[in-house]
Amino acid sequence: MSEALVQLQRVTVQFDDRPVVDQVTLQASRGDIITIIGPNGAGKTTLIKTILGIQKASQGRVSLAPGLTIGYVPQHLTLEATLPLSVRRFMLLSGQSLTDCRAALKRTGVDHLLDASVHHLSGGEKQRLLLARALARKPDLLVLDEPAQGVDINGQAALYELIRELRDELHCAVIMISHDLHLVMAATDKVICLNQHVCCSGYPADISHDPAFIETFGHQVAESLAVYHHRHNHSHDLHGDVVDTKGTQGACNHEHH
């Protein structure tokens, strides 16, 4: 049985006596990729902050494995525009060694940007930088809030593929929030549909048939997910361009059914 790293038992978070997260129970074990989906205002980011210890639960219990190391990828990178900051400096602010920082940047495909200004990075480069910063900690648990924010569709597919690879390499657990439902269904092991409370949860292949999922996202979305299959005969590079198995660029050939 896989080691449980995080357990939430009937967790409620209230603001002004109004429950933003209501009686949520979940468990993440090593090897899991759990994706939290739901409409705007559903409490997804609040739930993540509660797991991270940034937000205190009003009720219930949050249990973390002893000595747990967490790597966190926030939704946005907010920096003072007039503050000069290189990728190297940004990474070293994490408290990790330059060797570990370089290795993490290389693994996420942005080591060539070591001396670049963080302000001049593209959306995809920023997300990979944030992922590298979390990766440098060698986390047991990787927590990602909308990791593909600001990344184009092909770059999103490559990013989710990288997250799965990192899960395998680190044998960590992954909890992430996402709105990219089609891509998430191919990239996750379990889906939790949140709308303050847990509406439904389960395997991606099953969740689209759940009445609570259909009520939350509508029949059209549910039907499109039910018949969606995504197969690759290639890979994408950092910029979303197609690279075939021989390493040459070409046209994208996705098959959706």
Side-chain angles (χ1 to χ4, degrees):
M1 191 177 208
S2 295
E3 177 189 358
L5 300 179
V6 179
Q7 295 185 74
L8 273 61
Q9 296 175 313
R10 302 181 69 83
V11 166
T12 294
V13 179
Q14 294 182 328
F15 297 143
D16 298 325
D17 295 326
R18 181 178 64 88
V20 177
V21 172
D22 189 16
Q23 299 284 305
V24 170
T25 295
L26 67 82
Q27 176 176 306
S29 300
R30 285 194 183 277
D32 286 344
I33 298 182
I34 298 173
T35 301
I36 302 169
I37 62 174
N40 290 333
K44 300 184 297 297
T45 296
T46 298
L47 181 62
I48 288 291
K49 288 181 177 179
T50 305
I51 293 171
L52 294 171
I54 299 170
Q55 175 65 51
K56 186 177 180 181
S58 306
Q59 299 174 25
R61 183 179 178 185
V62 179
S63 301
L64 305 180
L68 183 73
T69 299
I70 300 177
Y72 174 48
V73 179
Q75 186 175 151
H76 301 291
L77 176 58
T78 304
L79 299 170
E80 172 57 51
T82 59
L83 177 68
L85 186 65
S86 68
V87 167
R88 180 197 301 266
R89 179 63 178 155
F90 178 76
M91 289 292 292
L92 290 174
L93 287 171
S94 67
Q96 307 305 310
S97 69
L98 181 58
T99 299
D100 287 343
C101 289
R102 282 179 179 272
L105 289 166
K106 184 175 182 179
R107 184 62 191 89
T108 61
V110 288
D111 53 315
H112 61 290
L113 298 172
L114 186 65
D115 294 313
S117 167
V118 173
H119 298 289
H120 298 154
L121 302 183
S122 69
E125 289 167 343
K126 284 181 180 177
Q127 291 308 101
R128 286 178 179 253
L129 171 60
L130 288 171
L131 183 56
R133 195 168 188 262
L135 181 61
R137 293 175 54 81
K138 300 180 176 63
D140 303 297
L141 172 65
L142 193 55
V143 179
L144 309 104
D145 189 351
E146 293 282 0
Q149 183 82 20
V151 183
D152 66 30
I153 187 68
N154 288 337
Q156 289 173 21
L159 194 59
Y160 284 124
E161 184 176 331
L162 175 59
I163 290 167
R164 287 190 68 87
E165 291 173 358
L166 293 174
R167 182 276 309 267
D168 294 340
E169 292 168 15
L170 296 170
H171 191 46
C172 64
V174 176
I175 300 176
M176 62 180 169
I177 294 172
S178 183
H179 285 104
D180 310 305
L181 296 184
H182 287 104
L183 289 172
V184 161
M185 291 303 181
T188 193
D189 300 320
K190 185 178 181 181
V191 176
I192 295 175
C193 182
L194 188 72
N195 198 357
Q196 278 79 57
H197 65 286
V198 176
C199 302
C200 56
S201 63
Y203 296 109
D206 301 327
I207 198 77
S208 59
H209 302 290
D210 192 294
F213 180 90
I214 295 170
E215 182 179 350
T216 302
F217 290 100
H219 285 279
Q220 187 173 359
V221 171
E223 288 171 2
S224 70
L225 291 177
V227 299
Y228 182 90
H229 301 283
H230 189 156
R231 292 199 297 269
H232 278 86
N233 63 351
H234 58 271
S235 299
H236 295 281
D237 65 16
L238 171 61
H239 304 290
D241 295 325
V242 174
V243 179
D244 65 22
T245 55
K246 297 178 181 178
T248 58
Q249 292 187 339
C252 184
N253 182 20
H254 293 177
E255 297 178 24
H256 296 198
H257 299 284

